[in-house]
Amino acid sequence: MPKYIQHWTWEEAFERNGFGDGDDWVGTYLIEKFLEDRGYKVESGGGMHNLQILNVVGPDGVDLMDAAYQEGVDSDAPRSYLPAELVAALDTHFNEEFTVTNE
């Protein structure tokens, strides 16, 4: 079975045009699960583009993306509004060695 290799970053799950504008393999579901496993509530959606994360609510009930919006931060810049320890965990987990198999 041939291998398909796509280079991507977890931040693409927050971008309207991430994962090749949704035309390539889309890994948003992996980021959703990662966040949900840590107690975050995640809302995703999309239309003709990438299925993207539209909202993240922390375990403490704080709407992280709305708070960022109120401060004038772009929703597609998750490093600027997600907690630093969560960003570090995402970086560690979804690194260059992370692979997805089609089994």
Side-chain angles (χ1 to χ4, degrees):
M1 178 178 202
K3 280 188 177 181
Y4 171 76
I5 298 173
Q6 178 175 321
H7 298 282
W8 60 283
T9 65
W10 61 264
E11 293 100 322
E12 291 184 67
F14 293 84
E15 299 171 6
R16 177 177 176 222
N17 297 317
F19 298 105
D21 202 22
D23 292 336
D24 295 334
W25 170 85
V26 176
T28 302
Y29 72 98
L30 294 168
I31 310 310
E32 289 173 330
K33 180 165 179 8
F34 186 88
L35 295 172
E36 289 169 349
D37 287 350
R38 283 150 185 80
Y40 292 81
K41 293 182 183 174
V42 180
E43 177 186 343
S44 297
M48 296 175 59
H49 301 278
N50 180 35
L51 173 67
Q52 74 185 92
I53 295 174
L54 301 171
N55 199 26
V56 178
V57 176
D60 56 1
V62 173
D63 185 328
L64 299 172
M65 293 178 88
D66 186 54
Y69 176 76
Q70 297 300 327
E71 293 178 15
V73 176
D74 242 347
S75 64
D76 64 355
R79 289 180 177 277
S80 65
Y81 57 82
L82 293 178
E85 63 276 1
L86 181 58
V87 169
L90 285 158
D91 285 343
T92 298
H93 186 76
F94 296 105
N95 60 32
E96 290 182 11
E97 296 170 6
F98 182 84
T99 59
V100 177
T101 57
N102 191 15
E103 298 182 80

